[in-house]
């Protein structure tokens, strides 16, 4: 009980002996001598169990005992050392704390002079020893309180060091007086860092509700300094000690952006090449190319009609790359008003513009740090933003709106469009230098009508998916239904195809099958016309045809084309032109030229 205040007990025993000129011993509740003077000095640490009957009584009753003639006192009659005892007077005072006797102070006279002096001032001696006993009890109380405080601090430090966020304790001058283990690791500091060499500076910017700071730490050499960007909040500490003025709870910029990225764009449960359904030659070539280009960080420009799955291929590139465990952030440039797109991409600090959030906001470039930023419908980006995007691609740095601080970003850009960027360049609606910067790796996704052999696999996949969502038993498609699906032009591509299968999954009875009558009218009509087209010399499905052989119906000896609606004849002409010149951007330009229409008109008609 006295182990924590042993020096105090020894000191108080010496004080009693010095003041009274009488020997003193102090024993604990286990009757072990913890302090002593005079003849007791060399017996400290020994037990007095055989001669401690008086002390046992004091410990038991919690009352002081004054014996002016110990050998004649009732408590001493059973003592084995009674006949040889040299004590002439004994004052035994309990040390009590919170109702518990912690030990006993024994004041013992061995000479008649000592005995007479004590008897002459008995009350003074009793009060003095009692005050010393109270002083020792108070020291015990303080030591217990300090021990509990230390235990709490130890526990709190374990909690703080186990926290996955960095914590700094700042003094009243803004200096660092303590950092936890997470902060040390985030800042790359050694195990026992010199806290005085750490410099903390507020940038004045607030992003996503937290303040931004820069932290300067010692570098690899004596002269060098390293700068880290952290984001966090300060909290005042109710302490009189100037070393404990504020606590800063923070995350490093990469960690903070990662947390926001996960919140803004949760990781897909499926992705990669396995999510791309189809084994047609065109799809196999695309999958092979994805594997090749995924290993680099070069920009990719994905082109193709609306609904072909451009974002799915972008996600596949991300999933197959070394950045697969980093964010994939998608931005539809055509769905965000021009006035907001800049702040969406680059972020802003508080007070950047009227209507801005007072807490600021982190942009998509920062959220995609070390990952991939997918810019869909890039052709819709206004020209002034194209200039800023080009600068970011060149410098790998951005500036938040309302700030003047450069922020480094490591982002792989994958852009996508269903526009003819070459035509937009000619119309001065898209910058040619940005086009060349984006088109480092071109990736063209063919429309569904150009890979009709993938339709059975897609039909089975989507049907199983939606039947699972609707709690129905998956069903297969008959050969007739599949042929009708293959015959349809699919202007909306895979997106339209998925919607049709979802519709069918809704209307089929549980355990039933898909019939031709369930298909939408436009698909049934084109499916029915396909055999007739083939009878008239069709060579490649419903939208390819040849002139009738001799002997067919004619007008004045001239052969007649099949009686088809003008819209279908236009479609036939477009497909024939695309088959001849190809579906690349250059092929479409030449096809439009041969048809006597502009490229933009061709793209618009392909979407109809």
């Amino acid at each position: 009980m006295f182990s924590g205040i042993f020096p105090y007990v020894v000191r108080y025993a010496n004080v009693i002996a010095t003041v009274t000129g009488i020997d003193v011993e102090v024993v604990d509740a286990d009757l072990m001598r913890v302090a002593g003077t005079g003849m007791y000095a060399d017996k400290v640490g020994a037990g007095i169990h055989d001669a401690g009957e008086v002390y046992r009584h004091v410990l038991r009753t919690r009352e002081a005992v004054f014996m002016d003639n110990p050998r004649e006192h009732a408590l001493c009659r059973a003592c084995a050392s009674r006949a040889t005892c040299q004590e002439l007077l004994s004052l035994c005072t309990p040390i009590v704390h919170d109702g518990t006797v912690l030990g006993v102070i024994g004041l013992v006279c061995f000479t008649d002079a000592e005995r007479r002096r004590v008897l002459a001032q008995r009350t003074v001696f009793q009060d003095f020893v009692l005050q010393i006993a109270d002083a020792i009890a108070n020291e015990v109380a303080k030591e217990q309180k300090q021990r509990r405080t230390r235990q709490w601090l130890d526990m709190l430090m374990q909690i703080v060091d186990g926290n996955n966020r960095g914590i700094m304790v700042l003094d009243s001058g803004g200096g660092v007086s303590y950092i936890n283990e997470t902060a040390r690791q985030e800042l790359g500091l050694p195990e026992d860092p010199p806290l005085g060499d750490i410099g903390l500076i507020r940038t004045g910017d607030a992003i996503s509700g937290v303040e931004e700071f820069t932290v300067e730490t010692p570098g690899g050499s004596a002269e060098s300094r390293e700068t880290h960007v952290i984001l966090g909040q300060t909290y005042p500490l109710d302490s009189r000690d100037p070393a404990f003025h504020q606590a800063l709870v923070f995350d490093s910029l990469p960690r903070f952006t990662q947390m926001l990225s996960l919140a803004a764009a949760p990781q897909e449960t499926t992705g990669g090449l396995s999510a791309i359904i189809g084994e047609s030659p065109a799809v196999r070539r695309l999958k092979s190319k994805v594997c090749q280009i995924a290993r680099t960080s070069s920009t990719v420009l994905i082109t193709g009609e609306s609904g072909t799955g451009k974002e799915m291929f972008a996600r596949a590139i991300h999933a197959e790359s070394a950045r697969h465990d980093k964010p994939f952030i998608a931005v539809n440039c055509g769905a965000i008003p021009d006035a907001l797109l800049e702040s969406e991409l680059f972020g802003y600090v508080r007070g950047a513009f009227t209507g801005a959030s007072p807490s600021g906001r982190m942009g998509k470039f920062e959220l995609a740090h070390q990952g991939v930023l997918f810019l869909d419908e890039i052709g819709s980006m206004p020209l002034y933003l194209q200039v800023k995007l080009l600068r970011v691609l060149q410098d790998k740095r951005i500036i938040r709106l309302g700030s003047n601080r450069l922020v480094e970003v490591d982002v792989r850009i994958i852009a996508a469009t269903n526009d003819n960027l070459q035509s937009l360049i000619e119309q001065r609606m898209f910058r040619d230098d940005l086009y060349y910067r984006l088109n480092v790796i071109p990736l063209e996704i063919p429309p569904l009508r150009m890979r009709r052999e993938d339709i059975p696999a897609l039909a089975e996949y989507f049907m199983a998916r939606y039947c699972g969502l609707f709690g129905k038993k998956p069903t297969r498609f008959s050969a007739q239904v599949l042929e009708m699906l293959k015959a349809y032009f699919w202007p909306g591509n895979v997106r339209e195809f998925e919607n049709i299968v979802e519709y069918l999954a809704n209307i089929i009875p549980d355990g039933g099958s898909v019939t031709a009558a369930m298909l939408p009218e436009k698909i049934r009509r084109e499916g029915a016309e396909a055999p007739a087209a083939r009878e008239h010399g069709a060579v490649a499905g419903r939208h390819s045809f040849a002139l009738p052989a001799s002997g067919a119906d004619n007008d004045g000896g001239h052969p007649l084309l099949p009686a088809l609606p003008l819209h279908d004849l236009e479609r036939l002409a477009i497909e024939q032109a695309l088959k001849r010149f190809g579906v690349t951007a250059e092929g479409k330009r030449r096809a439009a030229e041969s048809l006597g229409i502009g490229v933009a008109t061709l793209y618009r008609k392909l979407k109809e």
Side-chain angles (χ1 to χ4, degrees):
M1 185 63 69
F2 296 126
S3 59
I5 62 165
F6 178 76
Y8 292 98
V9 176
V10 172
R11 187 168 66 186
Y12 281 124
N14 291 329
V15 167
I16 296 173
T18 301
V19 171
T20 63
I22 300 171
D23 288 346
V24 178
E25 67 175 344
V26 181
V27 299
D28 62 17
D30 297 324
L31 296 179
M32 298 295 294
R33 189 176 285 114
V34 296
T37 65
M39 66 173 295
Y40 299 116
D42 58 351
K43 298 177 181 179
V44 173
I48 60 170
H49 301 86
D50 296 337
E53 190 59 35
V54 177
Y55 291 158
R56 286 192 186 91
H57 175 78
V58 174
L59 290 171
R60 186 169 56 250
T61 63
R62 291 182 289 184
E63 294 181 355
V65 173
F66 185 89
M67 296 185 298
D68 57 357
N69 192 355
R71 286 191 296 271
E72 301 301 326
H73 198 279
L75 292 174
C76 296
R77 289 174 184 172
C79 179
S81 304
R82 179 184 178 190
T84 59
C85 180
Q86 299 178 11
E87 296 181 8
L88 300 180
L89 185 144
S90 179
L91 173 59
C92 303
T93 305
I95 304 171
V96 183
H97 171 62
D98 283 344
T100 301
V101 182
L102 308 178
V104 180
I105 299 175
L107 183 69
V108 184
C109 297
F110 291 99
T111 67
D112 289 333
E114 292 174 349
R115 182 174 181 273
R116 286 193 300 270
R117 193 165 67 253
V118 172
L119 288 174
Q121 301 182 14
R122 173 175 174 171
T123 302
V124 173
F125 275 85
Q126 286 179 319
D127 289 345
F128 176 64
V129 175
L130 180 60
Q131 290 178 13
I132 297 297
D134 289 341
I136 294 175
N138 288 333
E139 293 294 342
V140 170
K142 288 193 294 184
E143 194 279 334
Q144 289 179 342
K145 184 177 181 180
Q146 289 174 352
R147 185 190 305 129
R148 284 195 298 269
T149 301
R150 286 194 300 270
Q151 290 173 347
W152 275 103
L153 285 174
D154 289 344
M155 183 179 67
L156 288 174
M157 287 303 99
Q158 291 178 31
I159 294 173
V160 167
D161 284 337
N163 197 312
N164 61 0
R165 302 190 69 190
I167 298 177
M168 289 185 186
V169 177
L170 309 178
D171 60 29
S172 57
V176 179
S177 56
Y178 172 81
I179 64 172
N180 72 341
E181 181 64 17
T182 302
R184 186 186 68 78
Q185 293 179 1
E186 289 282 354
L187 300 175
L189 294 171
E191 289 191 5
D192 190 15
L195 300 181
D197 291 341
I198 300 175
L200 181 69
I201 303 171
R202 275 185 167 91
T203 67
D205 290 346
I207 305 296
S208 300
V210 295
E211 285 189 271
E212 185 182 65
F213 301 80
T214 58
V215 182
E216 291 189 352
T217 60
S221 62
E223 299 80 13
S224 64
R225 303 280 286 174
E226 294 182 359
T227 301
H228 310 263
V229 178
I230 63 173
L231 293 156
Q233 293 174 302
T234 57
Y235 302 91
L237 298 177
D238 186 12
S239 172
R240 296 178 181 177
D241 190 335
F244 302 97
H245 181 65
Q246 283 184 320
L248 170 60
V249 182
F250 71 91
D251 296 288
S252 65
L253 182 58
R255 181 180 177 83
F256 186 80
T257 56
Q258 184 180 27
M259 291 188 297
L260 286 185
S261 298
L262 291 174
Q267 295 297 310
E268 298 287 322
T269 55
T270 59
L273 294 176
S274 60
I276 299 175
I277 308 301
E279 291 298 328
S280 62
V283 171
R284 285 201 302 269
R285 285 193 297 270
L286 284 172
K287 288 183 177 181
S288 176
K289 190 170 184 180
V290 165
C291 290
Q292 293 175 335
I293 66 177
R295 303 187 186 102
T296 73
S297 59
S298 299
T299 56
V300 181
L301 179 60
I302 303 178
T303 57
E305 297 177 12
S306 178
T308 51
K310 294 185 288 295
E311 182 171 343
M312 183 169 290
F313 278 93
R315 288 187 179 275
I317 295 171
H318 170 252
E320 299 297 326
S321 72
R323 299 172 182 252
H324 64 89
D325 58 342
K326 302 302 180 184
F328 178 95
I329 303 296
V331 179
N332 189 326
C333 301
I336 302 174
D338 293 353
L340 298 179
L341 184 57
E342 183 176 10
S343 63
E344 189 75 14
L345 290 175
F346 303 108
Y348 58 86
V349 299
R350 57 187 171 193
F353 52 87
T354 303
S357 170
S359 61
R361 187 175 180 182
M362 188 165 285
K364 294 297 191 289
F365 267 99
E366 287 187 83
L367 293 179
H369 181 63
Q370 296 182 336
V372 170
L373 180 61
F374 176 60
L375 300 176
D376 198 8
E377 297 189 29
I378 189 68
S380 302
M381 180 176 286
L383 283 170
Y384 80 95
L385 277 187
Q386 293 179 31
V387 177
K388 295 194 69 172
L389 175 59
L390 182 62
R391 174 63 63 183
V392 174
L393 291 173
Q394 292 172 345
D395 297 345
K396 306 295 183 183
R397 294 184 295 183
I398 65 155
I399 300 178
R400 306 182 190 114
L401 297 184
S403 176
N404 57 7
R405 196 177 69 82
L406 290 169
V407 179
E408 294 188 3
V409 289
D410 172 19
V411 176
R412 183 178 192 179
I413 299 294
I414 301 179
T417 182
N418 57 12
D419 295 321
N420 186 337
L421 294 185
Q422 292 282 9
S423 177
L424 293 179
I425 290 172
E426 293 174 1
Q427 300 172 46
R428 299 184 181 277
M429 297 175 63
F430 201 85
R431 294 180 61 93
D432 55 353
D433 48 1
L434 177 59
Y435 171 77
Y436 300 134
R437 192 66 183 82
L438 292 173
N439 198 37
V440 175
I441 302 178
L443 194 69
E444 186 165 7
I445 313 301
L448 183 57
R449 61 183 173 276
M450 295 299 181
R451 55 185 188 103
R452 299 177 190 270
E453 56 266 58
D454 291 331
I455 285 179
L458 288 168
E460 182 178 353
Y461 171 77
F462 287 128
M463 181 58 73
R465 175 181 175 184
Y466 285 107
C467 284
L469 289 174
F470 303 152
K472 292 184 176 182
K473 183 179 179 181
T475 184
R476 291 185 174 275
F477 291 78
S478 66
Q480 179 191 14
V481 172
L482 289 175
E483 284 300 317
M484 298 180 77
L485 292 175
K486 289 181 181 179
Y488 183 57
F489 190 71
W490 298 111
N493 292 294
V494 179
R495 184 182 296 121
E496 181 187 10
F497 184 86
E498 180 180 355
N499 292 339
I500 293 297
V501 177
E502 181 181 0
Y503 161 76
L504 294 173
N506 273 278
I507 66 173
I508 58 172
D510 196 11
S513 59
V514 179
T515 64
M518 296 179 181
L519 295 173
E521 180 184 356
K522 58 184 179 181
I523 296 179
R524 294 201 309 271
R525 183 178 66 248
E526 293 198 12
E529 292 172 354
R534 284 195 293 271
E535 290 176 3
H536 285 289
V539 295
R542 179 236 182 273
H543 287 295
S544 296
F545 69 96
L547 293 176
S550 59
D553 294 338
N554 60 75
D555 182 13
H558 298 287
L560 298 176
L561 294 174
L564 298 176
L566 289 175
H567 176 271
D568 289 350
L569 287 173
E570 184 178 71
R571 283 282 185 180
L572 291 170
I574 290 174
E575 183 162 323
Q576 287 290 336
L578 290 174
K579 280 187 171 295
R580 179 177 179 182
F581 298 106
V583 295
T584 63
E586 176 62 20
K588 290 175 182 176
R589 185 190 66 76
R590 295 177 62 189
E593 186 178 289
S594 69
L595 293 169
I597 59 177
V599 175
T601 302
L602 174 63
Y603 273 82
R604 188 181 71 254
K605 289 185 176 295
L606 287 173
K607 294 179 182 180
E608 293 176 353

